[in-house]
Amino acid sequence: MHSQTKPTMGTLYIIATPIGNLEDISIRALNTLKEVDIIAAEDTRHTKKLLNHFGIHTPLISYYREKEEQRSDEIINRLQEGQNIGLVSDAGTPAISDPGAVVVHRAHQNDIPVVPLPGASALTAAISSSGLSDSGFLFLGFLPAKKGQRRKALTALIDCEYPIVLYESPRRVINLLEDALEILGQRPAFWARELTKKFEDLKNDTLEGLLKTCQGKTIRGESVIIISPGEREEITGQTIEELIIWYRDNSEFSLKDVSKKLSSDLGVSRSQVYQLALTLWTSNT
Ligand code: SAM
């Protein structure tokens, strides 16, 4: 009887690459990039430049957001055939607001070894140089690009008790600061631009102060914005009516948001609160 030996599985290495300064790559990352059979890259042309700089000639395949499902199948097949694969994104740590999570998840499902090679990330560089968090923070990456959706996302963050870490492109960063100031109010905030690059710029200020510094200017380079939690205002009000009026007058919550919040906070039916809120919303009370 013939017994077919199953090839040993390969390993999927999740490799952090620099976010600007090429000296930020680790020795382990360089060795692994040299030794793997193939590198799966978000943009092969971009990664080719990095590899050329370090004299690495490992073959590349592309792994990008729009084809994550399809490319993941191919990568999993290769790993199951015993190939070792390094996953990289254009900059920083894969799967942090970058493609990667789909193939990593599939690798776990298929009992394929996954090995992280930690290194640069705009997230850790910014939070560690902000002085705004010594414990927790909420990292959300990019908020929606569309204004309405972005404002809705910010409204949902009004009560967040942690510093909020956001990624933003040069094109939209002023819009983000404007919406954040309008919705979250005046708060301490940090703006890290062009981290690890020649024109690195770190600003510790308030949302309003940050906006003032960029008025009329063209913003260049990538940014991380960190927004501190708001001062907690004492919510006054004993009855549901008083609470509805308090939220109406002191928050950005919509009628629907208030009904949802109060019904869950107080354990009463949402439609009951909604009906009450409906009558109070436009009244002069
Ligand atoms: N995976 C990457 C990481 O680990 O940081 C993030 C990739 S995400 C597509 C790109 C965003 O990260 C940029 O729009 C910016 O918000 C942030 N970013 C990347 N490099 C940066 C840098 N050098 N300075 C400031 N922000 C940066």
Side-chain angles (χ1 to χ4, degrees), residues 19 91-93 96-98 121-122 142 167-168 194-195 222-224:
I19 56 169
T93 303
I96 306 292
S97 296
D98 262 341
S121 175
F142 294 96
Y167 281 170
E168 198 47 276
E194 306 232 61
L195 282 159
E222 303 295 318
S223 296
V224 182

Side-chain angles (χ1 to χ4, degrees), residues 49-224:
K49 285 186 203 151
L50 177 80
L51 298 184
N52 284 344
H53 179 86
F54 289 107
I56 297 172
H57 306 290
T58 310
L60 288 156
I61 54 169
S62 72
Y63 178 85
Y64 54 102
R65 184 75 81 194
E66 294 71 25
K67 287 268 161 73
E68 256 194 295
E69 296 284 332
Q70 192 183 322
R71 294 294 192 222
S72 293
D73 290 344
E74 186 188 332
I75 292 171
I76 295 298
N77 287 340
R78 285 175 182 269
L79 288 159
Q80 285 173 328
E81 283 163 10
Q83 291 189 9
N84 290 319
I85 299 188
L87 178 72
V88 298
S89 60
D90 284 354
T93 303
I96 306 292
S97 296
D98 262 341
V102 174
V103 71
V104 173
H105 182 65
R106 294 239 175 110
H108 287 305
Q109 282 178 324
N110 287 281
D111 293 325
I112 292 165
V114 173
V115 173
L117 273 71
S121 175
L123 162 63
T124 47
I127 197 77
S128 60
S129 55
S130 72
L132 293 183
S133 165
D134 59 3
S135 53
F137 57 84
L138 177 69
F139 172 63
L140 292 174
F142 294 96
L143 290 188
K146 289 198 177 138
K147 193 173 179 65
Q149 288 173 17
R150 181 173 58 239
R151 290 174 67 88
K152 198 167 168 204
L154 285 165
T155 304
L157 294 169
I158 289 173
D159 283 337
C160 177
E161 291 173 20
Y162 300 98
I164 302 156
V165 186
L166 302 171
Y167 281 170
E168 198 47 276
S169 67
R171 239 168 359 119
R172 275 190 284 270
V173 70
I174 296 184
N175 296 338
L176 170 66
L177 291 171
E178 284 170 351
D179 286 342
L181 176 62
E182 201 182 316
I183 292 168
L184 303 176
Q186 186 62 295
R187 295 178 179 203
F190 183 71
W191 183 355
R193 200 168 54 81
E194 306 232 61
L195 282 159
T196 79
K197 297 184 185 175
K198 189 172 172 194
F199 297 108
E200 180 176 77
D201 181 24
L202 308 183
K203 287 190 175 75
N204 201 322
D205 206 314
T206 56
L207 282 172
E208 196 175 25
L210 292 180
L211 262 170
K212 279 195 185 134
T213 65
C214 61
Q215 251 147 22
K217 292 194 185 141
T218 307
I219 304 301
R220 289 185 216 290
E222 303 295 318
S223 296
V224 182

Side-chain angles (χ1 to χ4, degrees), residues 218-266:
T218 307
I219 304 301
R220 289 185 216 290
E222 303 295 318
S223 296
V224 182
I225 301 290
I226 305 180
I227 305 169
S228 282
E231 300 269 307
R232 287 194 80 71
E233 272 187 76
E234 193 64 33
I235 299 176
T236 50
Q238 302 298 319
T239 63
I240 297 187
E241 286 87 345
E242 283 169 346
L243 287 168
I244 291 170
I245 290 165
W246 188 92
Y247 277 106
R248 184 195 66 185
D249 298 342
N250 295 284
S251 80
E252 288 282 327
F253 281 8
S254 66
L255 196 157
K256 222 163 131 191
D257 292 337
V258 171
S259 315
K260 202 161 134 190
K261 180 161 177 50
L262 289 183
S263 79
S264 108
D265 288 356
L266 307 174

